[in-house]
Amino acid sequence: MIDRYTRPEMGAVWSQAEKYAAWLKVELAVCEAYCRRGHIPPDALARIKAGARVDPARIDAIEARVRHDVIAFLTNLEEALGADSRYVHVGLTSSDVVDTALALQLQKASDLLIAGLERLKAVLGELALKHKDTLAVGRTHGVHAEPITFGLKAAVWYAEAGRNLERLRRAKDTVRVGKTSGAVGTFAHVEPEVEAEVCGALGLEPALVSTQVVQRDRHAEYVTALAIVAASLEKIAVEIRALQRTEILEAEEPFTEGQKGSSSMPHKRNPVSAEQVCGLARLVRANAQAALENVALWGERDISHSSVERVILPDSTILLDYMLHQMIRILEGLAVYPDRMRENLERSHGLLYSQRVLLKMAEKGLPRQRAYEIVQANALAAWREQRSFQQLLAKDPEVTARLTSDELKECFDPAWYLRNVDAIYRRLGLL
């Protein structure tokens, strides 16, 4: 578990106390189902429910000797229940308890992640609306392309956050599964109806079929969904890092009072938080690969997945929880510089309006390829000579033969490029 990035709420989900409490919840749900069937006397069930206590420190001490965590848990429970412990864990195998309890922990972890992602989406929506009309240059391959608005960048992120919410909710449901089908999944010692009752009482669905374990394609799907969310956060962070470059400086992540950027260069204001998000995304993606490796087990189960999940499930949820709140903090405090965006837009001397000129000349009857050659030649000259693209076109007889001065001027109006921005926002439900 990566303590440095653990927020208290998510850390509690993966604590030893929470894990053993979830195990106990499963065991008690089975006891209640047995009692309804007459297998446990009601007075014994009452004593079990009143006296069932587990001590994480004691369990860990027992495990150090017996080298089996569930046996250590049951031994500690026997110490609390005495003779009534004979009614506990009847017909179950360890994974019946561990896998079912893990589903409960994953539900809690998912709720925290979903809440964070909902907040992120709201912040992105606010940013998109605030800068809906903030003119900026769109870049492809890192090179000036055509006018855009900064709000449209945030709108793209907003839509992706919505898709990630859908993915995360589906993934949460995918791992909302328990089982009490026994050592090889045949219900030899526990009836299927008991499993259905136990899972229902715990808010889970019974696995339609299982081996000794719930099948790990479910957990692979879950961790992969987390990796996709992490990749989306990295996508935002990479853009902020690029926009914070000194030569661009169109946006900056927050730089707090007293913060220092370099031990040697006092002027530095580095995008360290965005860089951190990018770095942590690599870990979550790597964990998805490990989760995929867990799908193939020997026969009805082996234990190779268990050690992996003890790392990747807490770490992936903890890291993503941290990354979500880090990104929310970055976006809420993001410094946006519209004047700099306008200044950068002008740095290419009007070249980003080339397609409009091309299409206008083709509209006037010039073959498209010839129009392309004329526009490209002037564009190359404008860039090479650092001159106004519009002025060069205005002096080209092949251009002026087809376009009036006003028609050429209209081609350099950024508003024409942005006339459908509201339509995009309406599609997103932001307007």
Side-chain angles (χ1 to χ4, degrees):
M1 189 179 296
I2 303 176
D3 292 335
R4 178 181 177 184
Y5 303 111
T6 307
R7 298 188 328 114
E9 300 89 339
M10 187 62 81
V13 172
W14 298 109
S15 67
Q16 289 291 80
E18 178 66 23
K19 179 178 74 173
Y20 295 139
W23 289 7
L24 182 58
K25 187 177 292 187
V26 174
E27 294 281 9
L28 292 178
V30 174
C31 288
E32 289 177 342
Y34 280 162
C35 182
R36 285 190 290 271
R37 283 161 174 73
H39 302 323
I40 298 178
D43 58 335
L45 178 64
R47 291 193 300 272
I48 290 170
K49 292 174 69 174
R53 298 288 185 275
V54 289
D55 179 352
R58 174 61 178 154
I59 294 171
D60 291 346
I62 297 170
E63 184 184 356
R65 174 172 53 87
V66 303
R67 298 180 63 81
H68 193 293
D69 53 358
V70 176
I71 290 175
F73 164 80
L74 293 171
T75 300
N76 181 232
L77 195 55
E78 182 177 348
E79 292 171 346
L81 296 178
D84 287 329
S85 63
R86 69 184 185 276
Y87 296 117
V88 177
H89 203 70
V90 175
L92 301 180
T93 191
S94 297
S95 291
D96 289 334
V97 178
V98 173
D99 279 6
T100 305
L102 178 60
L104 298 178
Q105 289 177 280
L106 288 173
Q107 296 306 292
K108 290 185 177 181
S110 298
D111 287 340
L112 292 172
L113 294 175
I114 288 169
L117 194 47
E118 286 174 337
R119 177 59 188 149
L120 176 74
K121 183 184 177 186
V123 170
L124 289 170
E126 293 167 5
L127 188 66
L129 284 169
K130 181 177 181 181
H131 292 285
K132 179 173 72 71
D133 301 314
T134 301
L135 184 64
V137 59
R139 299 176 177 90
T140 58
H141 306 274
V143 176
H144 283 202
E146 291 187 340
I148 194 175
T149 74
F150 184 74
L152 275 175
K153 289 180 182 285
V156 169
W157 303 335
Y158 170 86
E160 192 161 333
R163 293 193 296 276
N164 280 327
L165 271 171
E166 294 173 6
R167 290 186 186 103
L168 200 47
R169 287 169 179 146
R170 288 195 302 267
K172 175 189 174 184
D173 196 54
T174 296
V175 293
R176 194 173 59 84
V177 170
K179 55 94 63 181
T180 60
S181 56
V184 290
T186 60
F187 293 102
H189 307 286
V190 180
E191 295 299 316
E193 293 76 16
V194 171
E195 180 183 81
E197 285 187 24
V198 168
C199 288
L202 297 172
L204 306 175
E205 291 292 328
L208 294 178
V209 59
S210 60
T211 57
Q212 190 173 107
V213 296
V214 171
Q215 300 307 287
R216 258 44 197 181
D217 63 289
R218 295 178 179 274
H219 304 79
E221 180 178 342
Y222 182 83
V223 182
T224 300
L226 302 188
I228 293 173
V229 178
S232 292
L233 296 179
E234 181 184 18
K235 172 181 178 175
I236 300 171
V238 164
E239 183 69 10
I240 291 172
R241 289 169 59 193
L243 295 178
Q244 190 164 332
R245 291 178 61 177
T246 305
E247 296 83 358
I248 298 176
L249 200 56
E250 294 179 358
E252 272 187 305
E253 70 172 42
F255 196 84
T256 59
E257 183 71 27
Q259 183 176 344
K260 293 178 172 59
S262 168
S263 63
S264 59
M265 296 171 284
H267 72 279
K268 295 285 280 179
R269 293 164 59 99
N270 302 324
V272 292
S273 296
E275 289 171 341
Q276 185 184 61
V277 168
C278 293
L280 295 179
R282 299 168 189 170
L283 290 177
V284 184
R285 280 199 296 276
N287 288 347
Q289 177 65 35
L292 290 167
E293 298 290 343
N294 281 348
V295 174
L297 303 176
W298 285 15
E300 278 53 63
R301 72 89 54 111
D302 62 54
I303 204 171
S304 61
H305 69 286
S306 177
S307 56
V308 177
E309 289 176 355
R310 290 169 190 249
V311 176
I312 66 172
L313 293 178
D315 281 5
S316 292
T317 52
I318 285 169
L319 288 174
L320 186 57
D321 180 63
Y322 176 84
M323 291 167 66
L324 282 166
H325 287 82
Q326 183 79 306
M327 186 54 67
I328 290 168
R329 182 187 66 80
I330 291 171
L331 291 168
E332 286 182 332
L334 189 69
V336 179
Y337 304 123
D339 290 345
R340 181 70 170 190
M341 292 177 183
R342 172 72 77 161
E343 179 184 339
N344 285 337
L345 186 141
E346 300 297 336
R347 286 182 184 275
S348 53
H349 310 289
L351 294 181
L352 65 170
Y353 301 104
S354 68
Q355 183 177 189
R356 183 94 192 275
V357 179
L358 164 67
L359 295 177
K360 180 64 74 172
M361 291 181 67
E363 180 185 311
K364 293 289 186 174
L366 192 66
R368 191 181 192 282
Q369 285 307 309
R370 180 55 189 154
Y372 192 107
E373 292 168 359
I374 294 168
V375 173
Q376 184 184 48
N378 282 279
L380 293 174
W383 188 244
R384 183 175 57 250
E385 299 169 17
Q386 296 291 287
R387 296 173 60 190
S388 166
F389 180 48
Q390 183 178 355
Q391 290 177 6
L392 284 173
L393 289 169
K395 293 178 180 179
D396 188 321
E398 291 198 77
V399 175
T400 56
R402 290 166 177 83
L403 301 182
T404 67
S405 176
D406 286 343
E407 286 174 331
L408 180 60
K409 183 178 179 181
E410 286 174 4
C411 292
F412 287 78
D413 181 3
W416 188 87
Y417 288 82
L418 308 177
R419 66 194 190 284
N420 289 315
V421 167
D422 282 1
I424 297 171
Y425 274 62
R426 284 192 292 271
R427 283 183 173 183
L428 294 172
L430 285 170
L431 288 181

